[in-house]
Amino acid sequence: LHPRRWDPTLKLRGYQERADVVERARAAFARDAGHNVLIATGRYDESSSLSFYLPGQPFVFCLMSRVGGRLSQYDLWPGLGARRADGTLVHAGADVLLVGSFSPEALEKVLRPAFTTLSQPEVLPVWYHGVKIREVEVRRGIGFRGFPRNVEPERF
C-alpha cells in the first residue's frame, strides 16, 4: 500500500530529498557539459521550493506561463527568455536542466524549438526514510536559442 493512501501529510515531506535528486542530476549534466547549467521547471511551486532547498539557493526559472499554465510572480522577473536592450538573449546557448513533466504539446511547440537538443526524460525516484514517495522527471535542454515568438506569455 503506497504511503499516499494512508499518510495525508506525505505531500509536505521530501522536499529536501527531491532537491538532492535534482542536484545530482544537475551536477551530472554540468560535469558532462563542462560548465554550469541552469535549472527550470514547469510549475512555480516547484521552482520556488527547489530554489530554497538546492545548495546555494540558486534561481530556478519557471516556464509555467510559456507551457500553458497561468501567469505567476515569475512572469514579473527576468526569465530564461530575457533579452538585453539590443535584443540578444541573455542566456543564449545555455544548457538547462528541465525538471518536471511537460505536456506533449508544450514539448513540441515550446521546448523542442527552444533548444538545439532536448533529451528524452529521465525518471528519478525520490526516497524518504526508505520509502519511494514520488518520481522526478528531468530532461537536458542543450543550447538554448530562445522561445518561439508565438508562445510569449501575456504580460500583466
Side-chain angles (χ1 to χ4, degrees):
L1 190 61
H2 193 277
R4 285 195 190 282
R5 294 210 184 254
W6 52 266
D7 185 356
T9 67
L10 190 63
K11 66 182 176 182
L12 303 173
R13 301 175 195 272
Y15 286 101
Q16 183 63 61
E17 290 77 7
R18 181 186 57 155
D20 294 344
V21 167
V22 170
E23 175 56 21
R24 284 192 296 275
R26 187 213 55 80
F29 188 9
R31 188 172 45 253
D32 293 346
H35 55 81
N36 195 24
V37 299
L38 303 174
I39 302 173
T41 78
R43 293 187 44 88
Y44 69 92
D45 52 343
E46 290 177 356
S47 291
S48 63
S49 64
L50 283 173
S51 286
F52 182 80
Y53 286 101
L54 284 168
Q57 297 185 321
F59 187 83
V60 176
F61 294 95
C62 179
L63 308 178
M64 189 169 170
S65 64
R66 292 192 182 273
V67 295
R70 69 177 180 85
L71 295 169
S72 72
Q73 72 273 16
Y74 283 91
D75 294 294
L76 298 174
W77 304 331
L80 189 57
R83 295 183 179 272
R84 295 181 182 89
D86 66 2
T88 60
L89 285 168
V90 172
H91 301 291
D95 293 337
V96 182
L97 182 70
L98 299 161
V99 179
S101 299
F102 295 92
S103 71
E105 183 180 9
L107 286 167
E108 293 308 314
K109 291 184 178 179
V110 180
L111 297 176
R112 215 167 287 292
F115 293 95
T116 304
T117 304
L118 185 64
S119 75
Q120 290 298 313
E122 183 178 358
V123 179
L124 307 171
V126 177
W127 296 88
Y128 181 78
H129 294 287
V131 176
K132 185 171 99 173
I133 58 171
R134 65 178 58 94
E135 294 177 330
V136 174
E137 190 174 296
V138 297
R139 294 174 186 269
R140 294 179 177 194
I142 299 170
F144 182 67
R145 52 187 177 193
F147 295 108
R149 291 284 184 189
N150 60 341
V151 295
E152 292 288 328
E154 292 184 25
R155 298 290 174 196
F156 293 99

